[in-house]
Amino acid sequence: MAGSDSPQNPFNVALNNQREAVEALSKAIGKSGDSPEQLETLLNVEVGQTPSEVVYTENKLELLHYEAQTDEQHEVPIIIVYALINKPFILDLQPDRSVVRRLLEAGHDVYMIDWNEPSRLDQYLTLDDYVNRYMDNCVDIVRERSGQDSINVLGYCMGGTMSTMYASLHPEKVRNLGLMAAGLCFDDTGGVLEEWGDEQYYSPRDVTETFGNAPAEMLDVGFALMDPVANFVSKYVRLYDNIEDDDFVENFGRMERWLSEGIDVAGATYVQFLEDIYQDNKLYNDELYLDGKHIDLSRIDMPVLQITGEYDHLIPPESSTPFNDAIGSEDVTTMQQSTGHIGLSVSGSSHTELWPRVCEWFAERSVVDAEAVPEAAAIEIDDVDEEAVGSEAPPAVNDETAGEEATGDDTTSDDAVDDNAASETDAESTGDSPGIDVISGIGPTYADRLRDDGIETVDDLRDADIEEVAEVAEVSESRAREWVDLAS
């Protein structure tokens, strides 16, 4: 039997504290005459109320597209990449505290990846699967739907870390990169989590060898123990003090629902993230590889926005901002708010002070350069043809061959002149045909794919087979048909 001075099991301590807190909560609610109604409120709060539709699914993930809140929207959409831990409705908690709504109200076209919970069959999914497969497929869907070659990416927490990896591997697809409370640098800068996760004290492989995936319950207890007084005592005291305040009770219920609905993390990804990112700091040291592909920080050359919380104890600002000097971008902005990790998403001050600035930052960098109108290009082509035919001069007669030409067949000679004129006109018309990148929706990536197949001009595209265009550009036939129609 362990002696009285033996250390207590931290999980038992946490669970005992939680049970005591729940008992205290029950007593507090019992003191209120409205306890039945308030208890029902706590159990039935609504979250994630902004209208959306699922536009893509793969394995467990769902790609959500939110309904526009303005008559006009910015042309470059934003895809929010949430963390693999907990559910993403913290970014759409309630109408007045919804990051999604703030973006929509500012005229942004918003998508979000909801990873959902992995099964035991998903325990072997790696960061490469999430970044180069799932994220890349979702980004391509948004690019195709919007007609933009590159889009805005906003990553939150672990999603920000993965977004950084994605931006390095696929910089041509990321127009602007927003990183919100993203863990990027762990060189004695990561606070308590970095200390607890040190390889001297903790092995993530022990967890996954036992459970397969990293259990949500274990992760939740670990996060709560970072501030046990606040998480097991203080918040219930505040609930007691405000038990008759309907708005407070609803807000409390929403937060408790989010905190209690954690999701497991795929085992292989959990091990890779803890070992490579936290313990070995490979991302910041430019030493990280995903399935043999180097995460080269110099390739992150697009505008970057760092959003940090001054009092964030999960991802302190010191775990994010040193990254600014390690990447290739010359346009880096840091916005720090006087709040914590979750407060960046739900605090009143964040929604009145921070998010309007974030929306403006994305808007300023999402102006699409005016492109030539395909119909106008077609008119120019017609004008060139007409002018070329109308101004075609007869070939000059060489004095030395004048006799030979005079004795030749006049009809044959005229036909030859006509053929030459037509040939020269066709060549001139082809030479002046605008490049395919004037077609709306065909940017550098699609244009390069089409050129590699010999489709270089508007005329080439007009005459191309729709199925061939779709296959070469790696787009849907409906998108290819739109391009061909615009070129006609």
Side-chain angles (χ1 to χ4, degrees), residues 185-202 226 274 277-281 313-316 318-319:
C185 173
F186 295 96
D187 185 16
D188 295 328
T189 56
V192 176
L193 277 185
E194 183 181 354
E195 290 291 332
W196 287 358
D198 190 283
E199 59 185 342
Q200 298 182 64
Y201 315 114
Y202 184 71
M226 295 181 68
L274 264 291
I277 308 300
Y278 268 85
Q279 295 179 348
D280 296 336
N281 201 24
H313 62 283
L314 291 176
I315 304 294
E318 294 77 18
S319 296

Side-chain angles (χ1 to χ4, degrees), residues 5 18 64 82 161 190 192 237 277 279 339 398 431 440 442 449 466:
D5 58 346
Q18 194 166 25
L64 307 179
Y82 189 68
T161 312
V192 176
V237 172
I277 308 300
Q279 295 179 348
T339 187
N398 188 311
S440 179
I442 298 183
R449 293 173 184 170
I466 291 174

Side-chain angles (χ1 to χ4, degrees), residues 423-486:
S423 176
E424 291 172 10
T425 301
D426 289 343
E428 184 175 352
S429 175
T430 301
D432 288 346
S433 178
I436 51 176
D437 51 4
V438 304
I439 299 294
S440 179
I442 298 183
T445 301
Y446 292 142
D448 288 344
R449 293 173 184 170
L450 292 169
R451 291 190 190 103
D452 288 343
D453 197 59
I455 303 174
E456 300 180 352
T457 67
V458 171
D459 283 352
D460 294 336
L461 181 61
R462 179 191 61 205
D463 299 333
D465 178 74
I466 291 174
E467 291 184 2
E468 177 189 358
V469 171
E471 181 179 355
V472 169
E474 300 178 19
V475 298
S476 65
E477 288 191 15
S478 61
R479 172 69 66 182
R481 183 175 291 104
E482 290 178 8
W483 292 347
V484 172
D485 289 344
L486 288 173

Side-chain angles (χ1 to χ4, degrees), residues 113-365:
I113 300 176
D114 185 349
W115 299 108
N116 289 307
E117 188 160 23
S119 69
R120 287 295 295 268
L121 295 176
D122 297 318
Q123 63 181 294
Y124 302 108
L125 290 175
T126 65
L127 280 172
D128 183 66
D129 291 313
Y130 280 103
V131 173
N132 279 316
R133 177 180 160 195
Y134 294 144
M135 277 185 64
D136 194 37
N137 288 343
C138 288
V139 168
D140 282 347
I141 290 295
V142 176
R143 290 167 63 227
E144 180 177 343
R145 288 172 60 91
S146 64
Q148 300 296 325
D149 284 319
S150 59
I151 64 173
N152 296 322
V153 176
L154 174 60
Y156 181 25
C157 191
M158 189 178 183
T161 312
M162 294 192 299
S163 295
T164 299
M165 302 173 195
Y166 184 83
S168 169
L169 294 171
H170 305 278
E172 75 282 358
K173 299 182 182 181
V174 182
R175 186 181 183 95
N176 299 294
L177 176 63
L179 303 173
M180 177 182 172
L184 305 169
C185 173
F186 295 96
D187 185 16
D188 295 328
T189 56
V192 176
L193 277 185
E194 183 181 354
E195 290 291 332
W196 287 358
D198 190 283
E199 59 185 342
Q200 298 182 64
Y201 315 114
Y202 184 71
S203 171
R205 294 180 185 271
D206 290 344
V207 175
T208 57
E209 288 173 3
T210 303
F211 298 104
N213 293 325
E217 296 81 4
M218 181 199 75
L219 299 174
D220 291 344
V221 169
F223 292 138
L225 284 174
M226 295 181 68
D227 193 351
V229 174
N231 290 314
F232 296 121
V233 180
S234 300
K235 68 178 181 181
Y236 296 111
V237 172
R238 289 197 301 274
L239 176 62
Y240 175 82
D241 291 338
N242 295 275
I243 196 65
E244 296 180 358
D245 184 333
D246 292 341
D247 290 338
F248 183 93
V249 173
E250 287 184 5
N251 293 343
F252 184 91
R254 291 188 181 98
M255 282 303 307
E256 286 302 291
R257 176 175 171 180
W258 180 75
L259 290 169
S260 66
E261 293 186 3
I263 61 176
D264 298 348
V265 178
T269 293
Y270 180 73
V271 169
Q272 193 175 5
F273 200 87
L274 264 291
E275 290 184 347
D276 288 353
I277 308 300
Y278 268 85
Q279 295 179 348
D280 296 336
N281 201 24
K282 288 184 178 180
L283 178 61
Y284 179 72
N285 290 330
D286 209 17
E287 299 171 348
L288 182 64
Y289 287 79
L290 298 187
D291 195 29
K293 296 176 283 290
H294 182 212
I295 307 300
D296 184 351
L297 302 185
S298 67
R299 286 168 57 84
I300 303 177
D301 56 2
M302 69 290 297
V304 174
L305 171 63
Q306 287 266 22
I307 306 169
T308 63
E310 182 179 0
Y311 308 117
D312 189 340
H313 62 283
L314 291 176
I315 304 294
E318 294 77 18
S319 296
S320 302
T321 53
F323 203 71
N324 296 350
D325 297 325
I327 58 179
S329 177
E330 297 181 356
D331 181 359
V332 180
T333 304
T334 299
M335 296 183 187
Q336 182 166 292
Q337 186 69 15
S338 298
T339 187
H341 190 79
I342 300 174
L344 288 173
S345 302
V346 300
S347 72
S349 63
S350 292
H351 283 274
T352 57
E353 301 169 8
L354 173 65
W355 286 104
R357 295 166 57 207
V358 173
C359 292
E360 183 179 1
W361 185 90
F362 275 112
E364 290 175 348
R365 291 162 176 79

Side-chain angles (χ1 to χ4, degrees), residues 17-161:
N17 286 339
Q18 194 166 25
R19 277 193 291 270
E20 293 173 3
V22 171
E23 292 174 1
L25 172 62
S26 299
K27 292 179 181 179
I29 294 178
K31 294 178 64 175
S32 170
D34 298 326
S35 59
E37 291 80 5
Q38 300 297 53
L39 179 59
E40 184 177 356
T41 297
L42 286 172
L43 296 175
N44 296 288
V45 290
E46 294 184 0
V47 295
Q49 299 176 59
T50 305
S52 67
E53 63 172 333
V54 177
V55 296
Y56 176 72
T57 62
E58 184 175 359
N59 196 358
K60 309 299 187 302
L61 81 79
E62 296 177 318
L63 177 61
L64 307 179
H65 183 214
Y66 288 90
E67 185 177 299
Q69 301 290 313
T70 56
D71 292 334
E72 296 183 358
Q73 293 180 291
H74 300 292
E75 292 184 76
V76 182
I78 295 177
I79 184 170
I80 300 175
V81 182
Y82 189 68
L84 300 177
I85 302 172
N86 290 103
K87 295 184 177 179
F89 65 73
I90 191 67
L91 297 176
D92 187 27
L93 194 65
Q94 60 194 59
D96 62 335
R97 297 178 187 236
S98 168
V99 170
V100 170
R101 280 186 183 258
R102 297 297 85 76
L103 292 169
L104 291 171
E105 290 167 355
H108 291 287
D109 187 14
V110 182
Y111 294 78
M112 182 159 64
I113 300 176
D114 185 349
W115 299 108
N116 289 307
E117 188 160 23
S119 69
R120 287 295 295 268
L121 295 176
D122 297 318
Q123 63 181 294
Y124 302 108
L125 290 175
T126 65
L127 280 172
D128 183 66
D129 291 313
Y130 280 103
V131 173
N132 279 316
R133 177 180 160 195
Y134 294 144
M135 277 185 64
D136 194 37
N137 288 343
C138 288
V139 168
D140 282 347
I141 290 295
V142 176
R143 290 167 63 227
E144 180 177 343
R145 288 172 60 91
S146 64
Q148 300 296 325
D149 284 319
S150 59
I151 64 173
N152 296 322
V153 176
L154 174 60
Y156 181 25
C157 191
M158 189 178 183
T161 312

